[in-house]
Amino acid sequence: MTADYWIVGARVVDGTGQDPAEGVAIHVVDGRIADLGQAPPDAETLDAGGLTITPGLIDAHVHFGLSSEITPSLRRELSVAELAADMFANCSSTLDAGFTTVRDTGGIDAGLARAVASGKVRGPRILQCGPVQCQTGGHGHLAAEWEPTSDWGDHAIPGLRAMSLLSDGPAEMRKNIRETFRLGADFIKMCVTGGVVSTHDKLSDTQFTVEEIAVAVEEASARGTYVTVHAHNNAGIRNAVLAGVKCVEHGSEIDEETAALMAQHGVAHVPTLAVVHALLEDAAAAGLPPEIRDRIGPALDGQVAGLRASRAAGVRVGSGSDLIGPAQGLRGKELTLRSEVETPMLALESATRVNADILGVGEETGTIEVGKLADLTAWATDPLADPTAFGDPDQVILVVQAGALVKDVRP
């Protein structure tokens, strides 16, 4: 398409929560939405008749650096070329599933994000945190028990993958946060509780002190950005909120009291249902041991309860898939699962407008409004009527990213 064209004939769901509009044409000029209305008779048009257009989806919790089988990739059983190829393929399939923006919450560094931004690799716009910040033996420290802690840093592949940095104490934390920003991070991700995919901890463990977390928040604030935290239990979440973080990932124990504290401090919540469903179905497919299953049930039930508690308290609730391993093609299933807990419209808003706000890009994308980037996804089936469409990449007929037509499978 040229730099000036109209998309016509579609049903438009703008991501603001308003009712869908029939037959509204979208005028795209130089990558942005210039007008919403009716195309002039002499305009260049793209026929989207019969399709439903939503804003381009946003996944607020991805792990492109974990696109290969986890255990073999960490044991150097896969070449750097294979690791990179899996990451590139994952980027492409994410775009094909209708996601035009993602937030990578640990596993890549700025190299992959820049490769995609330059056009060398096909994929969504990427915001990334570089290596996750974790304590020795905490969630994110995935070394085998026999491996010396001093060797963990050797797992990084500069310019491609950066798994985690280990900090013990405020001074070491400050140094590692500054190093993470030097490597090009857009924000900071910390692990403040144990996790499901963990080697040395339990879900009930709290990790990092309030003082250590506060150092990361101070350094991020000095850069004009924020800290988000991997957190399951309420004690860890409360520590993080009191230290000044802006977002909680997972939140599988969030109760009424914790949700109220989060709302009071303006802390967002990004549930991640798709990953626990995927691991319940087949943990081995991600290259993980079967005993991981023992942690999954409580994490799944808790996240649904935590989501409801956050909603009731007025917390901003985003959307993330958290898929790991090679099977990340059904990223949109997160919205299907969310639609079973709440309405499809709320699920869509979480994965568009709300996620854009959480990521700090709400002025540029997340809704179909004049002045914003033309990030659009067109569906063969209306996903508000049939939310299973969200999880089926074959239902994604058109993807427009900043005005560029990056997927078009119209008959």
Side-chain angles (χ1 to χ4, degrees):
M1 302 299 296
T2 65
D4 186 338
Y5 64 96
W6 290 75
I7 303 173
V8 300
R11 185 173 190 248
V12 176
V13 185
D14 66 12
T16 68
Q18 295 186 39
D19 290 339
E22 299 288 349
V24 173
I26 303 171
H27 188 196
V28 179
V29 179
D30 295 331
R32 292 187 178 270
I33 299 170
D35 195 11
L36 297 169
Q38 298 301 316
D42 59 346
E44 180 177 359
T45 60
L46 186 157
D47 184 6
L51 304 181
T52 298
I53 292 182
T54 68
L57 300 182
I58 301 171
D59 192 332
H61 195 121
V62 308
H63 290 292
F64 282 163
L66 298 175
S67 297
S68 307
E69 291 188 31
I70 310 303
T71 301
S73 74
L74 292 175
R75 292 181 177 175
R76 296 176 179 163
E77 295 174 11
L78 300 175
S79 68
V80 174
E82 290 173 294
L83 294 173
D86 288 342
M87 291 183 200
F88 298 164
N90 194 359
C91 286
S92 184
S93 66
T94 296
L95 194 62
D96 284 339
F99 290 84
T100 53
T101 303
V102 301
R103 182 179 64 164
D104 193 292
T105 52
I108 66 169
D109 60 20
L112 181 62
R114 291 171 184 170
V116 172
S118 71
K120 294 178 180 178
V121 175
R122 182 175 181 271
R125 188 179 299 109
I126 302 173
L127 301 172
Q128 50 78 36
C129 66
V132 170
Q133 313 298 316
C134 63
Q135 68 181 37
T136 299
H139 183 68
H141 187 187
L142 298 174
E145 291 183 3
W146 49 260
E147 181 180 287
T149 296
S150 58
D151 289 354
W152 175 242
D154 293 340
H155 288 279
I157 304 170
L160 183 68
R161 190 168 78 171
M163 292 302 303
S164 60
L165 289 177
L166 309 182
S167 296
D168 297 293
E172 195 166 31
M173 175 66 71
R174 192 177 301 277
K175 181 177 181 179
N176 281 339
I177 295 296
R178 290 175 177 177
E179 174 65 6
T180 300
F181 281 126
R182 185 191 72 83
L183 294 171
D186 298 307
F187 64 98
I188 296 296
K189 160 83 175 294
M190 304 182 71
C191 298
V192 301
T193 75
V196 173
V197 181
S198 276
T199 307
H200 314 291
D201 61 28
K202 305 182 297 296
L203 283 172
S204 57
D205 290 354
T206 58
Q207 298 171 3
F208 287 133
T209 65
V210 173
E211 184 181 10
E212 288 171 320
I213 303 168
V215 165
V217 170
E218 181 183 1
E219 291 294 325
S221 296
R223 297 263 183 165
T225 188
Y226 67 96
V227 175
T228 190
V229 292
H230 157 103
H232 284 280
N233 66 66
N234 284 323
I237 293 172
R238 287 194 293 269
N239 284 345
V241 172
L242 294 175
V245 308
K246 293 301 182 185
C247 189
V248 170
E249 314 293 316
H250 316 304
S252 63
E253 276 192 15
I254 291 175
D255 57 17
E256 182 178 344
E257 180 183 355
T258 301
L261 182 68
M262 291 169 62
Q264 177 186 346
H265 289 266
V267 177
H269 176 199
V270 176
T272 55
L273 305 183
V275 64
V276 282
H277 275 269
L279 293 177
L280 271 174
E281 292 171 5
D282 190 358
L288 293 167
E291 56 266 26
I292 289 292
R293 287 180 57 91
D294 297 337
R295 301 185 182 207
I296 296 172
L300 175 57
D301 294 341
Q303 284 202 63
V304 171
L307 162 61
R308 289 174 171 151
S310 289
R311 284 285 191 205
V315 171
R316 289 177 301 158
V317 181
S319 176
S321 67
D322 194 24
L323 296 176
I324 56 175
Q328 298 190 28
L330 301 181
R331 191 172 302 284
K333 187 176 179 181
E334 181 69 25
L335 281 78
T336 302
L337 295 169
R338 284 285 291 274
S339 297
E340 296 172 1
V341 178
E342 49 191 11
T343 68
M345 181 66 87
L346 280 175
L348 177 64
E349 282 186 76
S350 288
T352 53
R353 178 183 60 81
V354 179
N355 268 355
D357 182 46
I358 292 171
L359 272 58
V361 295
E363 293 185 359
E364 290 287 284
T365 191
T367 57
I368 302 175
E369 295 181 283
V370 172
K372 292 195 175 183
L373 291 171
D375 289 347
L376 309 165
T377 298
W379 309 82
T381 299
D382 180 359
L384 299 183
D386 180 8
T388 61
F390 284 129
D392 182 0
D394 290 339
Q395 292 291 324
V396 177
I397 304 302
L398 293 170
V399 180
V400 178
Q401 185 183 42
L405 192 60
V406 295
K407 179 181 181 180
D408 182 0
V409 292
R410 289 173 298 165

